[in-house]
Amino acid sequence: MERTQHHDEYQDIMLAVENESLPEVDVSEQVRKRITELDHRRRSFLKVTMRGATALGSLLALVLLVTVTAYAASEYIQIRNKSGEVRVQHVAPSETFGEPAAYDKYAKQASDFAKPGDLVAYYVKKGDRTDSSEPELRFEYKERRIHSYEDFLKEAKRTQAPVLPKAALDYAFDYGNVSPRFPNSKADKEEALYLKTLGELVDQASKAASGDHVFMKSLPWSQPSGISGIYSKGKAHIGIYATLMRGGDMYVTQEKEHAAEIVTVAGTEVVYNLVKKGDISYDYINWYNEEQDAYYTLTSFGDKTLTKKQFLQLAEELLK
């Protein structure tokens, strides 16, 4: 079984400003990038800080693993499946997860090339690459916000992603996104479509002018890496995110300011997270869905946020 994953949880989601309401912040783009980066980087020891941070700073930082890290601190939370295997492990910030991922300066070109919803394969000419590896494809995805719930439901069913609800508590569906799995595994690289696309782009590169560096093509896709939905009531918002683990393990960095409590909701262990860093305070909920092999996150942001009771009520509705 491939062993992967994952991340420091949400940082600076809510800024506590005396006598002022919290700013309206859209976190879906950062979470979408978390999902796609997880799949894109899953075979390397990496620590990724998300591109495109908002005014709240770096909302998400990812830690991706390909092997099981030995960690014996009993005070850190573990979530197990029915067979007793640990699937989600909270770890200390001091854990070593490898070197930061190299910045890919061509990813933005691929994103600019893509239309919303496109998975773009791109090839960088050998002389422009920082390594001497064999030719391979890189991938970029441009988010497509789906504002019609009916269309969102169709996309979830098309890709066999987990289905998210039409409403969350009394918050109405605003928009959603389904992100593709990046075909980076050894098996993927032996598939006919991968080889055909790589051959076409390498051929284009060999015939191109010297000033051309990157060559791109949009690809069809049907396998999701995750799904997200944003629900709104005025300027208050709820985010529901599901990351497909695909047999990997989830590692969550738990800092000293991060209080995590396990609460059983509808027969499932749910982690209620409360983070306080000076004037910054926020909370959110996570759980593991064994049937879907998916890791869920609930967030609340905007000019009004959910209480712990409301978070647990929403989790119960989703788990029924």
Side-chain angles (χ1 to χ4, degrees):
M1 180 176 68
E2 186 172 325
R3 316 293 273 184
T4 68
Q5 259 130 303
H6 199 117
H7 61 261
D8 286 348
E9 281 296 352
Y10 299 92
Q11 298 177 14
D12 303 346
I13 287 179
M14 299 194 300
L15 297 178
V17 181
E18 186 176 0
N19 298 324
E20 294 183 14
S21 62
L22 295 172
E24 181 177 352
V25 179
D26 174 11
V27 300
S28 63
E29 173 68 7
Q30 284 72 26
V31 174
R32 192 277 301 167
K33 286 184 177 180
R34 179 189 74 182
I35 292 169
T36 54
E37 286 285 354
L38 277 172
D39 196 74
H40 185 49
R41 309 295 187 183
R42 66 187 297 130
R43 295 188 306 115
S44 302
F45 286 94
L46 299 171
K47 185 170 184 178
V48 182
T49 299
M50 303 314 299
R51 302 192 306 271
T54 67
L56 293 185
S58 180
L59 281 172
L60 301 170
L62 309 186
V63 177
L64 316 176
L65 302 177
V66 293
T67 57
V68 179
T69 300
Y71 195 81
S74 60
E75 67 269 23
Y76 286 90
I77 286 175
Q78 294 179 331
I79 297 179
R80 300 174 182 269
N81 61 17
K82 292 177 182 178
S83 299
E85 300 169 322
V86 176
R87 300 307 314 281
V88 179
Q89 170 72 68
H90 284 221
V91 298
S94 59
E95 288 293 284
T96 300
F97 297 112
E99 296 300 320
Y103 171 67
D104 183 353
K105 64 181 180 180
Y106 298 107
K108 185 179 186 305
Q109 291 184 42
S111 180
D112 291 342
F113 172 83
K115 297 177 181 177
D118 275 359
L119 172 65
V120 171
Y122 63 104
Y123 170 74
V124 180
K125 288 174 67 173
K126 185 172 182 179
D128 298 308
R129 299 199 301 267
T130 57
D131 57 62
S132 58
S133 60
E134 292 298 315
E136 66 175 9
L137 296 177
R138 303 179 189 180
F139 298 92
E140 186 69 12
Y141 168 68
K142 177 172 283 187
E143 178 191 17
R144 176 168 73 102
R145 292 184 177 180
I146 306 172
H147 290 275
S148 161
Y149 181 76
E150 289 70 25
D151 291 341
F152 180 57
L153 187 60
K154 288 178 183 177
E155 183 68 356
K157 291 181 176 179
R158 179 187 76 83
T159 60
Q160 298 184 334
V163 173
L164 301 185
K166 190 172 184 178
L169 298 178
D170 56 346
Y171 288 58
F173 178 79
D174 193 346
Y175 62 88
N177 175 57
V178 182
S179 302
R181 184 184 75 84
F182 287 359
N184 285 322
S185 71
K186 182 178 179 180
D188 290 327
K189 293 178 181 181
E190 296 172 354
E191 291 287 335
L193 179 60
Y194 184 101
L195 295 172
K196 180 176 181 291
T197 304
L198 178 60
E200 289 175 355
L201 297 183
V202 169
D203 185 58
Q204 289 180 28
S206 68
K207 298 175 181 178
S210 59
D212 295 334
H213 306 284
V214 59
F215 304 85
M216 299 166 281
K217 182 179 181 179
S218 294
L219 297 180
W221 63 273
S222 60
Q223 295 187 33
S225 62
I227 185 169
S228 63
I230 300 297
Y231 302 80
S232 300
K233 184 172 66 173
K235 293 185 178 181
H237 311 282
I238 291 172
I240 304 176
Y241 313 94
T243 302
L244 300 179
M245 292 166 57
R246 297 185 178 278
D249 297 318
M250 187 70 67
Y251 290 81
V252 181
T253 301
Q254 183 176 332
E255 299 180 350
K256 63 180 181 180
E257 300 91 349
H258 179 170
E261 171 191 1
I262 289 185
V263 181
T264 301
V265 177
T268 297
E269 288 187 337
V270 168
V271 182
Y272 172 73
N273 304 274
L274 177 61
V275 181
K276 292 183 179 180
K277 295 182 179 181
D279 290 335
I280 299 171
S281 175
Y282 57 90
D283 51 0
Y284 57 95
I285 281 184
N286 296 118
W287 69 85
Y288 171 63
N289 184 310
E290 182 171 358
E291 182 179 352
Q292 298 172 350
D293 196 23
Y295 183 72
Y296 277 79
T297 300
L298 297 185
T299 65
S300 174
F301 57 100
D303 66 355
K304 187 179 298 182
T305 56
L306 300 184
T307 65
K308 178 180 180 180
K309 181 178 179 180
Q310 288 172 319
F311 264 123
L312 295 175
Q313 178 186 344
L314 177 56
E316 184 175 11
E317 290 182 6
L318 294 172
L319 286 165
K320 284 181 178 177

